[in-house]
Amino acid sequence: MNRFLILLLLFVINSLGVRAQRIQSPSEFLGYKLGEQFTPHYRVVDYYRYLATASKNIRLEEYGKTNEGRPLILAIVASDDNISRIEDIRMNNLRLAGLASGTASNDQPAIVWLSYNVHGNEAVSTEASLQTIYDLLDPSNQGTKSWLKNSVVIVDPCLNPDGRERYVNFYNPVRSAVPDPFPYSREHFEPWPGGRSNHYYFDLNRDWAWQSQRETQQRMLLYNKWLPQVHVDFHEQGVNEPYYFAPAAEPYHQDITGWQREFQRIIGKNNARYFDKKGWMYFTRERFDLLYPSYGDTYPIYNGSVGMTYEQGGSGRAGLAIINSDGDTLTLKDRIDHHHTTALATVEALSQNASKAVSEFKNYFAASRSNPPGEYKTYIIKGENTEKIKTLATMLQRNGIEFGYGSARGGSGYNYFSGKKESFKVDKNDMVISAYQPKSVLLKVLFEPNTFISDSATYDITAWSLPYAFGLPAFATSDNLKPLSATLPEVAIASSGVSNPVAYVANWNSLSDVKFLGQLLKHNIKVRYSEVPFETGGMAFNAGSLIIARASNENLGTSFEQTLTDLAKSSGISLQAIPSAFMDKGADLGSDKVKLIAKPRIMVLTGASTSSLSFGEIWHFFEQQINYPLSIVRTEDLGRINLNDFDVIIFPDGNYTDPVNDKILQWIRGGGKLIAMEGAMRQLAGKKGFDLKNKEEPKKNEKDADPYEDLKVYENREREQVQANIPGAIYKVDLDNTHPLGFGFPGFYYTLKLDDKVYQYMKPGWNVGVLKKDNYVTGFVGAQVRKKLVDGLIFGVQEMGNGSVVYLADNPLFRSFWENGKLLFSNAVFMVGH
């Protein structure tokens, strides 16, 4: 009897212990079953915070906030033993990569990072994360408990809360009481701009390397402190698509290792095992390639991880239920189950191969430090433009790439601008980047002059080399050069030594100068620019240089110098004091070639007629990069506005019903400036009042025509389409830098061509940026497109009465990483038309 009582007592104690450890499931906590509705972001955060109090196996970290103030959170899940030493695990992982001092231990759990909902309207991802983290923490789940013995799981439940809330706040109010699966009911059509992008309408899944956006910057700071062995980016695709998981499609970048390829296959086979049991359809090795470096799969790969994208059919069209083209009803619950299954299957596969994954991770970084890939072992970025060098340095620092300045010797190497091998010397302001470092693969990918493309049917741009994107002269050499200094020599903000200068001058050649101009205008400080280069006191200034004369700003009194110095410092530029208005060369300050810059009142159009991405780039540029006021007007409201309240109207890329009417033409002739970008420019070609004309394709000679040209093989249809494709390639534009649109540039500009559009040279008009016969630089261009991209206009200005029209066929603000284009766009806004 006593023994029975003892056993009964032990049973009760054990039951109470289990009950005390029990945590609520998402459905219990939220009050509805997952899949019955979309969960608002604040409730997602509430659940994760609840888990952090209910379980000892989770560490929750708020790593930042979105533009709209929503928290960005990250959950770290580990076993009892590992969670207590989680910081030691993180630091040891960095030691394995050579990114922290000390001796690394090989006795290390493998780390997998699960990223959800980078595209806001692919909203199933966050819902799936709730079920996944519950299963990882559920003390009764023996499977996940065993995996966590040698694995650490990091869960980011929502990379893009602002975009997701835009979608959820659209869907929840318009859904029917019983979800309507009819694909053309209103709950399946988001209004413009949709929830995919973030607050500024940027695609965060193209921003991993560039880190232009607030969310990315905060996340990558934490990501690079962990560097997981495996990273999964959860997505959705069209409603008619089955599930996609790795292995990925070609092209693979040539520096992706054998292990990274093999482990994708191992994980894919494990995913397939579970899907096969359920009878769920899927595909692999198609569509989603591994080339462009700023995705949620490729960026981790170039940082030593096995990076993968998982794509569930659905996206913003799917809602809670939708009938697909097969006649099947796809529900939110189905979508949750699929993402939940692949997440756990991935953790399982990593756990089964944890030691190998850690070993290969260590080998990856050891090879990077001792035997970096590729022909080039050092990159030299010439330091003639200090402001641009500083901006590039910030990007490299955010990516953990080591660099320095100056070198004891020069050498010979590939000149990016000439395309030839040439000798060079290294000055103290030149940036020197050795490939012998932990991040050597990422360095090579971002700087290689020509990216090898194994398959031309690729998903995104094929050229991005940073010297071209920044417009910085650079060399790549096979020699290993060591930098002399870790920091750039300091340059005085305001060069003095001149008593009572008549003016201060800032050279015009970078975004920092644009910021400075914007601040001057906002403070009502009168500023001028010179149409021509000039020299004084041994200092040379290019056309467009900003001149702030004391006599024009007497209202500042004794605070003149201090005000300018403060604004220059906050903008990151240097000023030069000049003692006299008499120039040694070029125009004197009183010349009519020195013009006052009026403070422009700027409008940009937005709405369903515009590309949300193009509009977002402009919006972000003014608000976050140069801090200059901008009025945002919907296209349908343009007719209600007194256009004379504005000096500049920007038409982003888009598809406009009636882009320009008589009212706008009259405004232009009266002194207004219209900036037409990409699609907006296309729609002005051939229109009344505009000198822009499409370039006609050369007519074929019927005698030389191939009579069998139209006979195509069905199997090759995708390959045939590639001939007319240009996913993103770099061309060298011949630029007239004497025109205000070309101020601050040498006689050329590297543009990222995303289409085959090129226009006739304007007569009359200013053909400022043109392509000639052989202006191709790098990236994939289909044979048919390459024939078109010769002898035509890319950037131009048409004078119309007292006003002007600026034509920009290519996007100078592309994804905000095409740094050199920001100056070109600024010229269009601030310089043209004075």
Side-chain angles (χ1 to χ4, degrees), residues 377-379 402 432-437 443 480-483:
K377 305 305 179 186
T378 310
Y379 301 90
E402 301 165 359
V432 176
I433 317 171
S434 171
Y436 291 88
Q437 61 168 297
L443 169 65
N480 181 18
L481 303 186
K482 306 286 187 184

Side-chain angles (χ1 to χ4, degrees), residues 487-772:
T487 58
L488 188 66
E490 286 294 326
V491 178
I493 295 296
S495 176
S496 200
V498 177
S499 60
N500 199 33
V502 299
Y504 285 88
V505 181
N507 234 330
W508 181 258
N509 56 19
S510 75
L511 179 63
S512 297
D513 303 310
V514 180
K515 294 178 186 176
F516 180 56
L517 172 60
Q519 292 307 301
L520 292 172
L521 295 174
K522 284 177 64 177
H523 284 79
N524 296 314
I525 295 173
K526 290 184 179 178
V527 55
R528 292 171 168 81
Y529 74 85
S530 174
E531 279 190 339
V532 295
F534 61 95
E535 294 182 18
T536 180
M539 298 178 292
F541 301 95
N542 57 26
S545 292
L546 305 178
I547 302 165
I548 309 100
R550 182 187 298 276
S552 301
N553 294 283
E554 292 177 342
N555 59 307
L556 294 175
T558 57
S559 66
F560 177 68
E561 274 88 359
Q562 190 60 53
T563 300
L564 294 188
T565 299
D566 290 345
L567 294 178
K569 185 176 182 180
S570 66
S571 303
I573 64 115
S574 59
L575 284 172
Q576 303 296 330
I578 57 176
S580 171
F582 188 94
M583 297 295 108
D584 299 332
K585 290 184 181 180
D588 297 331
L589 296 193
S591 167
D592 63 0
K593 291 183 174 59
V594 176
K595 299 185 179 298
L596 183 69
I597 301 176
K599 181 179 179 179
R601 299 161 298 174
I602 304 169
M603 176 205 303
V604 62
L605 295 185
T606 189
S609 297
T610 67
S611 158
S612 62
L613 295 175
S614 177
F615 161 72
E617 288 160 353
I618 297 165
W619 182 19
H620 184 266
F621 176 80
F622 280 98
E623 282 199 355
Q624 294 296 323
Q625 297 180 57
I626 67 170
N627 189 23
Y628 191 83
L630 176 75
S631 291
I632 298 170
V633 175
R634 298 184 305 169
T635 52
E636 59 264 37
D637 295 328
L638 192 57
R640 307 177 186 179
I641 292 172
N642 181 359
L643 297 183
N644 292 325
D645 289 339
F646 295 92
D647 305 295
V648 180
I649 300 177
I650 303 170
F651 276 62
D653 182 28
N655 186 16
Y656 299 85
T657 304
D658 184 14
V660 174
N661 53 31
D662 290 341
K663 180 181 176 180
I664 294 178
L665 286 172
Q666 183 180 358
W667 170 80
I668 297 172
R669 294 187 183 107
K673 178 165 55 182
L674 175 68
I675 300 174
M677 303 178 68
E678 300 180 277
M681 177 178 173
R682 281 196 297 274
Q683 291 179 265
L684 295 182
K687 294 291 194 305
K688 179 183 177 183
F690 295 92
D691 296 333
L692 185 71
K693 292 182 174 59
N694 288 309
K695 190 166 181 277
E696 297 180 3
E697 295 186 33
K699 295 181 180 179
K700 294 180 180 179
N701 187 335
E702 292 186 7
K703 293 181 180 179
D704 299 330
D706 181 358
Y708 307 115
E709 182 180 7
D710 295 329
L711 301 182
K712 311 293 184 184
V713 177
Y714 182 75
E715 182 184 21
N716 297 336
R717 61 194 183 281
E718 289 185 6
R719 298 287 161 208
E720 293 286 345
Q721 292 172 358
V722 163
Q723 296 183 34
N725 189 29
I726 177 170
I730 297 173
Y731 273 73
K732 186 176 183 178
V733 174
D734 289 297
L735 201 66
D736 177 6
N737 63 1
T738 69
H739 190 282
L741 187 58
F743 282 170
F745 290 93
F748 54 86
Y749 165 82
Y750 291 98
T751 191
L752 187 65
K753 284 299 297 177
L754 300 168
D755 58 31
D756 63 358
K757 290 305 296 182
V758 63
Y759 298 85
Q760 293 183 29
Y761 299 135
M762 288 193 296
K763 296 182 292 184
W766 299 106
N767 300 287
V768 181
V770 301
L771 294 183
K772 294 184 179 176

Side-chain angles (χ1 to χ4, degrees), residues 206 289 291-292 295 458-464 727-728 814-815:
R206 271 74 175 169
D289 60 71
L291 188 68
Y292 172 69
Y295 278 134
T458 183
Y459 197 70
D460 211 293
I461 65 172
T462 57
W464 50 78
F814 183 74
R815 293 179 186 168

Side-chain angles (χ1 to χ4, degrees), residues 10-25 28 47 50-58 78-80 133-142 144-145 148:
L10 289 173
F11 174 78
V12 170
I13 292 172
N14 184 59
S15 298
L16 289 172
V18 171
R19 196 172 294 123
Q21 292 180 34
R22 184 183 179 280
I23 59 176
Q24 291 184 353
S25 69
E28 290 172 322
Y47 184 62
Y50 156 73
L51 292 175
T53 63
S55 173
K56 61 184 179 181
N57 298 109
I58 178 176
S79 66
D80 292 349
I133 196 162
Y134 168 74
D135 284 343
L136 290 170
L137 292 171
D138 181 3
S140 67
N141 191 321
Q142 297 305 310
T144 58
K145 285 180 73 173
L148 290 174

Side-chain angles (χ1 to χ4, degrees), residues 129-179:
S129 84
L130 297 171
Q131 187 63 47
T132 299
I133 196 162
Y134 168 74
D135 284 343
L136 290 170
L137 292 171
D138 181 3
S140 67
N141 191 321
Q142 297 305 310
T144 58
K145 285 180 73 173
S146 66
W147 304 337
L148 290 174
K149 290 178 181 178
N150 62 356
S151 303
V152 171
V153 183
I154 300 174
V155 179
D156 189 331
C158 189
L159 279 65
N160 181 11
D162 291 350
R164 188 175 193 275
E165 284 301 274
R166 194 158 61 241
Y167 174 75
V168 172
N169 289 335
F170 144 73
Y171 185 83
N172 283 344
V174 303
R175 55 163 287 196
S176 302
V178 176

